[in-house]
Amino acid sequence: MTVSKGWGEAQFEGIWRSEIEAINLRRRELGRVPIEILGTGGGGPKVTETVAVALSGGGVRSAAFSLGVLQALNHHDVLRNVDYLSTVSGGGYIGSSLTATMSVRKGEFVFENPPAGKDAPIATAVPAPEISDSDSVGHIRNYSNYLIPAGLRDVLTGLAIVVRGLVANLSLVLPIILLAAAVTVASNRSRSALTRPDFVGIPLEMYLPVEHFGITLALGLFGLAAFFLWALYRSFLPVNRMAEFRTRLPAWGAGYLVVLFAAFACELQPFIVAGMFDIADAAAGRESGLVLGLVTAWVQKLAAVAAPVAAAVTFFRQQVADILKSASATSSWQLKVVALASKIAVWIAGAALPLAILVVYLYLAYWGIINDKKYEDVQTTCPVSTLSGSLTVDGRALSLRGELGKLQIGSQEACTPKVAKAVEPGGHTPQWMLTSAGWVSEKILGRVSERPMALLYLVTGILLFLLSWLLTPNANSLHRLYRDRLSKAFLFDPTPRDDQAPGRNEASIDQGRDFPQLDQMRVSALSVEHAPYHLINAALNIQGSDYANRRGRNADFFLFSPHHVGSWATGYAATRDFEREAPELDLATAVAISGAAASSNMGANSIRPLTPTLALLNVRLGYWLKNPRYVRATKNSGRGMMAIVERRSKFYLWEEITGRLYENSDEIYLTDGGHIENLGVYELLRRRCRVIIAVDAEADPEMRFSSLITLQRYARIDLGVRIDMPWDRIRTSTLPLMGKGSVESKDAEAAAARPRGPHVAIGTIDYGDDKGFLVYLKSSLTGDENDYIRDYARRYSAFPHETTGDQFFSEEQFEVYRALGFHIAHGLLCGEDKVQVVGADALTKFDDPANEAVKSVSAALTG
């Protein structure tokens, strides 16, 4: 089964041809043979003799590992033969750094100091097993802790930005709460009216069958009759008119159920508010309605319990997602128990904010309703254990009172009646709110309204709604902070500045010793003559769309490239035209979108119960962008008035919360490319590349190769492409060194006796009419790594698959991942490490001329 044609599929052949023409420009620049475009057939382009590198997601871990791989590819003169570079998330950090620096330095690789005798052909000698870093590598290493490079100063700055985003989100939610409270207060002027059926003071008793929940009961009776009539109607329909799916009457029935539930919820709220008055009475020692008070108390307690659970689950959302994924891939009962607990925690966390919003609404209603209950004098009776009376001693009359055994002689105090303190109307409401309500009422009506709090809520809600309409979707999310940090760390001009020294007594960070930033560099400015053609992968979130959800993916593959922006679902627009229509799009923004791992909606990785919590707490690295479908290919876009109109919020927060995200909306919501495919290989398969080098640096502590398996499934279903990849020996060599195998396998002698490799597997890509090859480099261990890599692995058992949630790398941590990436790629290319090849019974060397796959791949990489 293949995907039905999307808007962009019809455009794809022209896009592919323009990319091949761009690749040929660089080939001619390097003296390589241009690619011959053979045309299309079988629903797509023919296999071309293109070589591609894909850098996976994985945050700064992947960036460091991929840097080492790129250094090895360049060291062995392979990078010049790479036509496509496809990146996802963390791979995009370093991938964009590569293409940006190659663009400004006319093809120079700036992440390695050139060896002595630079002009001599590299192939004249065997490359050295290590290289020396350049200043550009030093710059990136200095920013390996890129989110808070200045320490506490950046922590406080980030915290202030987070709080600002929370306030912005509150301004979008609070108007609805205020308007709901205004309706409740207007409908129930006083406490005594809470349990009487009325609307805005209009009594409804005579129109309803019962006093309490009369509207719900009336709707329920009406529904029973309507559903029975519907059943009778269905019984007389001919067979050819009995379709159920998406016909009018089932839709009406669904709407009725929603209205019935809403009516019940609305009629329940006054009883809960009445319970808040009862709780206040009980606290003051007065008679209270026990049942209503208990219901209200439970709502408050549930909100209090759910809040810390929500905070914990939100903070550890990546770990929770990993646990839920692992549970589906193993039969271990222990892990299934942990997964069940995680699911319960997720649902509790998902309920936390709705409960908190409910509590806020209840208190607003409680403060706005007048307490008109009359309290009678209450006689205080003496305790059972208390004795009072008079006693005559030696002719003298004395009064006494006290507990048995503790009688106080001579006391004149006896059990006297005490009157409960009267409660003035509005005495339970904060005074500042009463004052504000009176002021607003006088300014608008010229007098104090009978329901001043309802008027205050109404006016405040409308005002906040109008102001929040001016908020733009991306202005207060965490995207810009994330984008600026990434840009500072990875997008720079490697040409040193003249003023190298920082100011006196000033922090050196962000001062003159840093390279100039390429912060405003456009995606269209990436050179196709001096760098591989760069594909930056993101996920288009379309949870509300049938296009994606027939398979439950919730997302489509979205692409930024020097020539085109878009997806098959939305269609593609020329990048230059798109940048004119959406001037906020630049390279740094595209890279941050590709790495927007934390979001309310996360494509195929969405945790639906957490969506409202993540959205309202502003855990939103995703980005709202103009839909490529509506970009006009004209030089004069006429944005004048449109720029003002587009500033409105369009209820973006509610669209995120409810998942009402579509491929044909004016603006689309984009997140991390790993939310649909984390290797970055899918788009290369669509382009039918002959050789693809896939660098997999995702967090995979159990070595389950989940991203590769997901790619195999997508390729088979969508593209009709089969990938045959052997990887079991990489797994069996790595797990023991991560503490998941025998202790003896960690010993130095055992490691020394083990053959070098495999870190790499070579598989075949069956395109149907032709064949390609996938060279799979996995972040893995075999015991032949250098001293400081093995030392780090002994101290940190999760290496090389430490959590992606760790984006605060130390110098040591960054270096061991970089060195491991270089070690793996260098071992492959120089023929020292053995690799696992599809169809071969034993491990083989990369220079084995007898193996067809090895021979074909080696020829493609060496040119």
Side-chain angles (χ1 to χ4, degrees):
M1 186 174 77
T2 59
V3 175
S4 60
K5 280 185 178 292
W7 183 266
E9 186 175 359
Q11 302 172 279
F12 183 70
E13 182 178 346
I15 292 171
W16 171 72
R17 287 178 176 274
S18 71
E19 291 175 356
I20 296 300
E21 292 171 1
I23 287 170
N24 282 337
L25 290 176
R26 180 166 177 260
R27 284 192 165 222
R28 295 187 184 95
E29 184 77 14
L30 295 172
R32 298 172 59 206
V33 177
I35 297 171
E36 181 181 357
I37 302 178
L38 300 176
T40 61
K46 294 288 186 181
V47 175
T48 56
E49 300 303 322
T50 48
V51 177
V53 171
L55 305 180
S56 79
V60 71
R61 180 192 62 247
S62 177
F65 183 85
S66 298
L67 172 60
V69 173
L70 293 173
Q71 288 175 321
L73 293 178
N74 181 71
H75 195 55
H76 287 266
D77 207 28
V78 172
L79 192 59
R80 70 189 304 274
N81 297 323
V82 173
D83 301 302
Y84 279 109
L85 177 66
S86 179
T87 62
V88 179
S89 192
Y93 301 174
I94 193 63
S96 297
S97 188
L98 172 74
T99 52
T101 53
M102 292 183 80
S103 296
V104 298
R105 295 298 291 269
K106 308 299 183 184
E108 178 185 352
F109 184 81
V110 302
F111 301 111
E112 175 186 0
N113 282 327
K118 172 183 173 182
D119 297 332
I122 296 178
T124 58
V126 177
E130 253 302 353
I131 60 173
S132 60
D133 289 340
S134 64
D135 291 338
S136 297
V137 176
H139 173 91
I140 294 177
R141 183 178 283 111
N142 289 341
Y143 281 95
S144 58
N145 187 13
Y146 70 96
L147 286 177
I148 50 171
L152 181 60
R153 185 183 74 182
D154 286 335
V155 171
L156 294 176
T157 301
L159 182 60
I161 293 172
V162 169
V163 172
R164 184 196 67 203
L166 288 173
V167 172
N169 283 0
L170 179 63
S171 70
L172 295 169
V173 177
L174 193 55
I176 296 177
I177 302 175
L178 286 168
L179 293 176
V183 172
T184 302
V185 174
S187 301
N188 304 277
R189 179 177 179 274
S190 62
R191 177 181 179 178
S192 59
L194 282 169
T195 54
R196 293 201 306 265
D198 65 352
F199 182 75
V200 197
I202 303 174
L204 302 177
E205 292 97 331
M206 64 183 70
Y207 307 108
L208 298 176
V210 294
E211 183 177 356
H212 303 311
F213 294 97
I215 296 176
T216 303
L217 179 59
L219 284 174
L221 293 174
F222 170 79
L224 289 176
F227 275 86
F228 181 72
L229 291 175
W230 183 15
L232 289 176
Y233 171 73
R234 292 275 304 169
S235 301
F236 290 97
L237 284 177
V239 175
N240 61 351
R241 294 182 57 193
M242 293 190 70
E244 295 268 36
F245 187 64
R246 291 190 178 176
T247 54
R248 183 175 300 175
L249 287 178
W252 286 358
Y256 161 79
L257 294 177
V258 172
V259 171
L260 181 66
F261 176 78
F264 174 77
C266 289
E267 289 195 290
L268 178 63
Q269 302 313 312
F271 285 86
I272 299 179
V273 175
M276 298 179 72
F277 284 101
D278 292 337
I279 290 176
D281 285 350
R286 296 185 294 269
E287 181 183 356
S288 64
L290 180 62
V291 175
L292 293 179
L294 285 176
V295 171
T296 305
W298 271 106
V299 171
Q300 295 171 333
K301 288 178 180 178
L302 284 173
V305 170
V309 175
V313 172
T314 301
F315 187 78
F316 296 106
R317 62 191 175 279
Q318 186 63 49
Q319 289 82 348
V320 170
D322 292 341
I323 290 173
L324 295 177
K325 285 182 182 178
S326 300
S328 62
T330 181
S331 58
S332 167
W333 69 268
Q334 296 96 332
L335 188 56
K336 288 188 179 296
V337 170
V338 174
L340 178 60
S342 299
K343 287 181 180 179
I344 294 172
V346 165
W347 280 102
I348 293 174
L353 278 178
L355 282 172
I357 291 172
L358 175 60
V359 169
V360 171
Y361 155 75
L362 292 174
Y363 268 101
L364 288 172
Y366 170 66
W367 289 330
I369 294 172
I370 297 173
N371 186 0
D372 60 348
K373 184 174 181 179
K374 304 299 183 181
Y375 297 101
E376 298 179 356
D377 292 348
V378 179
Q379 175 70 44
T380 303
T381 59
C382 294
V384 175
S385 59
T386 300
L387 178 66
S388 66
S390 61
L391 180 67
T392 302
V393 179
D394 294 335
R396 297 177 58 190
L398 301 175
S399 63
L400 60 89
R401 177 179 180 272
E403 295 182 6
L404 292 176
K406 299 180 182 178
L407 296 178
Q408 299 175 359
I409 305 299
S411 173
Q412 297 300 319
E413 295 183 6
C415 296
T416 56
K418 293 185 178 179
V419 180
K421 182 181 178 181
V423 178
E424 297 296 332
H428 59 292
T429 308
Q431 185 59 44
W432 67 269
M433 294 184 70
L434 288 173
T435 304
S436 301
W439 183 85
V440 169
S441 182
E442 288 183 351
K443 292 297 181 184
I444 295 178
L445 303 177
R447 58 183 175 81
V448 177
S449 168
E450 293 183 355
R451 297 176 176 83
M453 295 298 294
L455 185 61
L456 175 66
Y457 295 160
L458 178 64
V459 171
T460 307
I462 293 174
L463 181 61
L464 275 177
F465 176 78
L466 294 176
L467 290 175
S468 65
W469 191 254
L470 301 175
L471 295 174
T472 53
N474 305 310
N476 295 290
S477 73
L478 298 178
H479 169 86
R480 184 69 195 199
L481 174 64
Y482 179 53
R483 176 243 184 237
D484 290 349
R485 295 303 189 200
L486 285 177
S487 175
K488 183 64 180 175
F490 293 98
L491 297 180
F492 55 89
D493 183 344
T495 305
R497 296 186 181 186
D498 294 332
D499 52 337
Q500 292 286 308
R504 188 173 183 178
N505 293 329
E506 292 182 2
S508 61
I509 200 164
D510 295 341
Q511 299 292 323
R513 282 190 289 186
D514 283 341
F515 289 124
Q517 282 187 260
L518 297 175
D519 188 62
Q520 302 299 322
M521 187 175 192
R522 296 290 186 183
V523 178
S524 61
L526 291 175
S527 174
V528 296
E529 294 181 67
H530 302 108
Y533 194 91
H534 195 173
L535 308 176
I536 303 173
N537 296 271
L540 168 66
N541 284 262
I542 43 178
Q543 277 81 345
S545 169
D546 289 339
Y547 181 85
N549 284 335
R550 279 173 297 182
R551 300 174 187 177
R553 291 184 185 176
N554 298 320
D556 190 32
F557 303 89
F558 196 91
L559 200 64
F560 300 96
S561 76
H563 287 170
H564 294 92
V565 172
S567 70
W568 280 28
T570 62
Y572 296 87
T575 304
R576 290 187 184 277
D577 292 335
F578 194 95
E579 289 169 344
R580 274 194 296 269
E581 292 274 344
E584 72 275 15
L585 177 64
D586 50 35
L587 180 59
T589 299
V591 173
I593 291 172
S594 178
S599 178
S600 53
N601 292 272
M602 298 183 286
N605 297 335
S606 295
I607 306 176
R608 294 310 297 268
L610 274 184
T611 295
T613 301
L614 295 175
L616 291 171
L617 291 180
N618 204 40
V619 183
R620 301 170 52 247
L621 290 178
Y623 198 82
W624 286 89
L625 194 66
K626 187 178 181 66
N627 194 327
R629 183 189 296 256
Y630 307 120
V631 171
R632 293 160 293 190
T634 58
K635 292 185 178 180
N636 182 14
S637 61
R639 286 184 53 85
M641 190 62 188
M642 285 300 297
I644 299 175
V645 174
E646 289 174 3
R647 284 189 56 83
R648 68 183 190 274
S649 68
K650 299 182 181 178
F651 302 104
Y652 64 89
L653 186 65
W654 299 106
E655 291 173 12
E656 289 186 42
I657 289 175
T658 60
R660 307 290 290 178
L661 304 170
Y662 302 95
E663 73 275 11
N664 58 354
S665 58
D666 291 337
E667 293 180 347
I668 51 177
Y669 189 61
L670 304 174
T671 57
D672 194 316
H675 291 162
I676 187 166
E677 197 271 298
N678 201 39
L679 289 182
V681 175
Y682 184 94
E683 290 290 349
L684 300 174
L685 295 176
R686 183 176 277 169
R687 286 154 175 77
R688 300 168 78 85
C689 299
R690 177 71 70 185
V691 174
I692 301 173
I693 302 173
V695 180
D696 186 356
E698 73 165 350
D700 187 14
E702 300 296 328
M703 296 294 283
R704 301 185 188 281
F705 296 75
S706 57
S707 288
L708 176 62
I709 293 169
T710 299
L711 171 69
Q712 290 174 318
R713 184 175 77 251
Y714 285 168
R716 171 66 183 83
I717 294 173
D718 294 0
L719 307 175
V721 173
R722 294 177 175 85
I723 300 174
D724 189 359
M725 174 62 65
W727 48 260
D728 56 295
R729 296 198 183 184
I730 299 176
R731 184 176 193 268
T732 55
S733 68
T734 299
L735 286 180
L737 292 171
M738 293 180 65
K740 301 179 184 297
S742 63
V743 176
E744 291 78 356
S745 64
K746 287 185 169 184
D747 295 341
E749 293 182 2
R754 190 184 297 109
R756 295 177 63 91
H759 295 283
V760 180
I762 299 177
T764 56
I765 306 170
D766 182 2
Y767 287 114
D769 56 346
D770 207 339
K771 184 168 63 175
F773 300 95
L774 181 62
V775 183
Y776 182 67
L777 281 70
K778 179 72 170 178
S779 181
S780 54
L781 300 172
T782 60
D784 62 340
E785 294 80 19
N786 68 30
D787 289 344
Y788 59 79
I789 294 177
R790 294 202 306 272
D791 175 68
Y792 188 89
R794 281 191 292 269
R795 290 183 285 121
Y796 299 95
S797 60
F799 177 80
H801 297 287
E802 294 169 296
T803 174
T804 307
D806 181 6
Q807 294 293 289
F808 309 96
F809 271 34
S810 65
E811 177 187 276
E812 177 191 25
Q813 197 173 8
F814 187 90
E815 171 57 21
V816 293
Y817 279 100
R818 185 214 63 81
L820 179 62
F822 184 89
H823 165 78
I824 291 174
H826 174 73
L828 167 73
L829 296 172
C830 72
E832 292 182 0
D833 283 5
K834 290 187 176 181
V835 299
Q836 189 172 1
V837 183
V838 63
D841 295 331
L843 300 179
T844 185
K845 289 291 188 72
F846 186 58
D847 54 1
D848 182 5
N851 188 287
E852 177 191 355
V854 168
K855 183 178 178 182
S856 299
V857 172
S858 179
L861 298 186
T862 58

